Short mmCIF file of all heavy atoms in Angstrom, two decimals:
data_model
loop_
_atom_site.label_atom_id
_atom_site.label_comp_id
_atom_site.label_asym_id
_atom_site.label_seq_id
_atom_site.Cartn_x
_atom_site.Cartn_y
_atom_site.Cartn_z
N SER A 239 -14.01 -4.40 20.41
CA SER A 239 -14.27 -2.97 20.49
C SER A 239 -12.93 -2.25 20.40
O SER A 239 -12.04 -2.46 21.24
CB SER A 239 -14.97 -2.61 21.79
OG SER A 239 -14.96 -1.21 21.99
N MET A 240 -12.76 -1.37 19.44
CA MET A 240 -11.48 -0.72 19.24
C MET A 240 -11.29 0.46 20.19
O MET A 240 -10.20 1.03 20.23
CB MET A 240 -11.36 -0.22 17.80
CG MET A 240 -11.35 -1.37 16.78
SD MET A 240 -10.03 -2.56 17.05
CE MET A 240 -8.63 -1.63 16.43
N SER A 241 -12.28 0.79 21.01
CA SER A 241 -12.12 1.86 21.99
C SER A 241 -11.51 1.35 23.29
O SER A 241 -10.69 2.03 23.91
CB SER A 241 -13.44 2.53 22.26
OG SER A 241 -14.38 1.62 22.81
N ASP A 242 -11.88 0.14 23.71
CA ASP A 242 -11.36 -0.40 24.97
C ASP A 242 -10.82 -1.82 24.85
O ASP A 242 -10.42 -2.42 25.85
CB ASP A 242 -12.44 -0.34 26.05
CG ASP A 242 -13.71 -1.12 25.66
OD1 ASP A 242 -13.69 -1.80 24.63
OD2 ASP A 242 -14.71 -1.02 26.38
N LEU A 243 -10.85 -2.39 23.61
CA LEU A 243 -10.33 -3.73 23.34
C LEU A 243 -11.10 -4.83 24.04
O LEU A 243 -10.58 -5.93 24.27
CB LEU A 243 -8.82 -3.84 23.65
CG LEU A 243 -7.94 -2.85 22.90
CD1 LEU A 243 -6.49 -3.03 23.27
CD2 LEU A 243 -8.11 -2.98 21.40
N TYR A 244 -12.34 -4.56 24.38
CA TYR A 244 -13.22 -5.58 24.96
C TYR A 244 -13.59 -6.56 23.86
O TYR A 244 -13.91 -6.16 22.73
CB TYR A 244 -14.46 -4.94 25.56
CG TYR A 244 -15.43 -5.91 26.15
CD1 TYR A 244 -15.30 -6.37 27.45
CD2 TYR A 244 -16.49 -6.42 25.39
CE1 TYR A 244 -16.20 -7.31 27.99
CE2 TYR A 244 -17.40 -7.34 25.90
CZ TYR A 244 -17.23 -7.77 27.21
OH TYR A 244 -18.12 -8.68 27.73
N VAL A 245 -13.58 -7.86 24.18
CA VAL A 245 -13.82 -8.91 23.18
C VAL A 245 -15.11 -9.64 23.47
O VAL A 245 -15.34 -10.10 24.61
CB VAL A 245 -12.66 -9.91 23.16
CG1 VAL A 245 -12.93 -11.00 22.10
CG2 VAL A 245 -11.33 -9.23 22.91
N LYS A 246 -15.95 -9.77 22.46
CA LYS A 246 -17.10 -10.67 22.53
C LYS A 246 -16.79 -11.83 21.58
O LYS A 246 -16.75 -11.66 20.36
CB LYS A 246 -18.40 -9.96 22.12
CG LYS A 246 -19.61 -10.83 22.25
CD LYS A 246 -20.91 -10.03 22.21
CE LYS A 246 -21.19 -9.45 20.87
NZ LYS A 246 -22.55 -8.87 20.78
N ARG A 247 -16.55 -13.00 22.16
CA ARG A 247 -16.10 -14.17 21.37
C ARG A 247 -17.33 -15.00 21.01
O ARG A 247 -17.94 -15.63 21.87
CB ARG A 247 -15.07 -14.97 22.15
CG ARG A 247 -14.56 -16.21 21.46
CD ARG A 247 -13.22 -16.63 22.05
NE ARG A 247 -12.18 -15.68 21.69
CZ ARG A 247 -11.08 -15.51 22.38
NH1 ARG A 247 -10.87 -16.17 23.50
NH2 ARG A 247 -10.17 -14.63 21.97
N ILE A 248 -17.67 -15.02 19.72
CA ILE A 248 -18.81 -15.81 19.22
C ILE A 248 -18.27 -17.18 18.82
O ILE A 248 -17.41 -17.29 17.93
CB ILE A 248 -19.46 -15.11 18.01
CG1 ILE A 248 -19.74 -13.63 18.32
CG2 ILE A 248 -20.70 -15.85 17.58
CD1 ILE A 248 -20.67 -13.39 19.47
N GLN A 249 -18.78 -18.22 19.46
CA GLN A 249 -18.23 -19.57 19.23
C GLN A 249 -19.37 -20.55 18.92
O GLN A 249 -20.28 -20.73 19.71
CB GLN A 249 -17.45 -20.03 20.45
CG GLN A 249 -16.72 -21.35 20.27
CD GLN A 249 -15.70 -21.60 21.33
OE1 GLN A 249 -14.84 -20.75 21.62
NE2 GLN A 249 -15.76 -22.77 21.99
N PHE A 250 -19.27 -21.17 17.74
CA PHE A 250 -20.20 -22.22 17.35
C PHE A 250 -19.56 -23.57 17.75
O PHE A 250 -18.35 -23.66 17.98
CB PHE A 250 -20.47 -22.19 15.86
CG PHE A 250 -21.15 -20.92 15.40
CD1 PHE A 250 -20.41 -19.84 14.92
CD2 PHE A 250 -22.54 -20.82 15.44
CE1 PHE A 250 -21.01 -18.67 14.52
CE2 PHE A 250 -23.15 -19.63 15.05
CZ PHE A 250 -22.40 -18.56 14.59
N PRO A 251 -20.34 -24.66 17.83
CA PRO A 251 -19.78 -25.96 18.21
C PRO A 251 -18.61 -26.36 17.31
O PRO A 251 -18.69 -26.21 16.08
CB PRO A 251 -20.96 -26.91 18.06
CG PRO A 251 -22.15 -26.04 18.28
CD PRO A 251 -21.81 -24.71 17.68
N ILE A 252 -17.53 -26.83 17.91
CA ILE A 252 -16.31 -27.17 17.17
C ILE A 252 -16.29 -28.67 16.85
O ILE A 252 -16.50 -29.50 17.72
CB ILE A 252 -15.06 -26.78 17.99
CG1 ILE A 252 -15.02 -25.27 18.21
CG2 ILE A 252 -13.78 -27.28 17.32
CD1 ILE A 252 -13.93 -24.82 19.14
N ASN A 253 -16.08 -28.98 15.59
CA ASN A 253 -15.95 -30.37 15.14
C ASN A 253 -14.51 -30.82 15.40
O ASN A 253 -13.60 -30.47 14.66
CB ASN A 253 -16.31 -30.48 13.66
CG ASN A 253 -16.18 -31.88 13.12
OD1 ASN A 253 -15.87 -32.83 13.87
ND2 ASN A 253 -16.45 -32.05 11.84
N LYS A 254 -14.31 -31.65 16.43
CA LYS A 254 -12.96 -32.02 16.82
C LYS A 254 -12.40 -33.17 15.97
O LYS A 254 -11.25 -33.56 16.17
CB LYS A 254 -12.93 -32.39 18.30
CG LYS A 254 -13.23 -31.22 19.21
CD LYS A 254 -13.08 -31.58 20.68
CE LYS A 254 -13.38 -30.38 21.55
NZ LYS A 254 -13.21 -30.68 23.00
N SER A 255 -13.19 -33.68 15.01
CA SER A 255 -12.68 -34.71 14.14
C SER A 255 -11.86 -34.14 12.97
O SER A 255 -11.21 -34.90 12.25
CB SER A 255 -13.82 -35.56 13.58
OG SER A 255 -14.64 -34.77 12.70
N VAL A 256 -11.90 -32.83 12.78
CA VAL A 256 -11.10 -32.17 11.77
C VAL A 256 -10.17 -31.16 12.44
O VAL A 256 -10.34 -30.82 13.61
CB VAL A 256 -12.00 -31.48 10.70
CG1 VAL A 256 -12.86 -32.49 9.98
CG2 VAL A 256 -12.86 -30.40 11.35
N ASN A 257 -9.19 -30.69 11.69
CA ASN A 257 -8.23 -29.70 12.18
C ASN A 257 -7.57 -30.18 13.48
O ASN A 257 -7.43 -29.40 14.44
CB ASN A 257 -8.90 -28.34 12.40
CG ASN A 257 -9.36 -27.74 11.09
OD1 ASN A 257 -8.69 -27.87 10.06
ND2 ASN A 257 -10.49 -27.06 11.10
N ARG A 258 -7.17 -31.43 13.52
CA ARG A 258 -6.47 -31.95 14.69
C ARG A 258 -5.03 -31.46 14.68
O ARG A 258 -4.34 -31.54 13.65
CB ARG A 258 -6.52 -33.48 14.72
CG ARG A 258 -7.93 -34.04 14.86
CD ARG A 258 -7.89 -35.55 15.13
NE ARG A 258 -7.18 -36.26 14.08
CZ ARG A 258 -7.73 -36.67 12.95
NH1 ARG A 258 -9.01 -36.41 12.71
NH2 ARG A 258 -7.01 -37.31 12.05
N ILE A 259 -4.56 -30.99 15.81
CA ILE A 259 -3.28 -30.34 15.91
C ILE A 259 -2.25 -31.28 16.54
O ILE A 259 -2.50 -31.84 17.59
CB ILE A 259 -3.36 -29.05 16.75
CG1 ILE A 259 -4.36 -28.09 16.10
CG2 ILE A 259 -2.01 -28.38 16.89
CD1 ILE A 259 -4.85 -27.00 17.01
N THR A 260 -1.12 -31.42 15.88
CA THR A 260 0.01 -32.19 16.42
C THR A 260 1.13 -31.20 16.71
O THR A 260 1.61 -30.51 15.80
CB THR A 260 0.48 -33.27 15.43
OG1 THR A 260 -0.57 -34.20 15.21
CG2 THR A 260 1.71 -34.00 15.99
N ILE A 261 1.54 -31.15 17.97
CA ILE A 261 2.61 -30.26 18.38
C ILE A 261 3.95 -30.95 18.19
O ILE A 261 4.17 -32.06 18.71
CB ILE A 261 2.45 -29.82 19.84
CG1 ILE A 261 1.12 -29.07 20.00
CG2 ILE A 261 3.60 -28.95 20.30
CD1 ILE A 261 0.81 -28.68 21.42
N LEU A 262 4.88 -30.32 17.47
CA LEU A 262 6.20 -30.87 17.27
C LEU A 262 7.18 -30.35 18.30
O LEU A 262 7.94 -31.10 18.88
CB LEU A 262 6.69 -30.53 15.86
CG LEU A 262 5.82 -31.06 14.71
CD1 LEU A 262 6.39 -30.60 13.38
CD2 LEU A 262 5.71 -32.56 14.75
#
Side-chain angles (χ1 to χ4, degrees):
S239 168
M240 297 301 285
S241 62
D242 57 7
L243 302 181
Y244 178 86
V245 181
K246 184 164 69 170
R247 179 159 290 155
I248 310 300
Q249 185 166 309
F250 298 94
I252 296 174
N253 180 1
K254 295 185 179 181
S255 67
V256 298
N257 294 325
R258 296 190 304 274
I259 300 162
T260 297
I261 299 176
L262 301 178

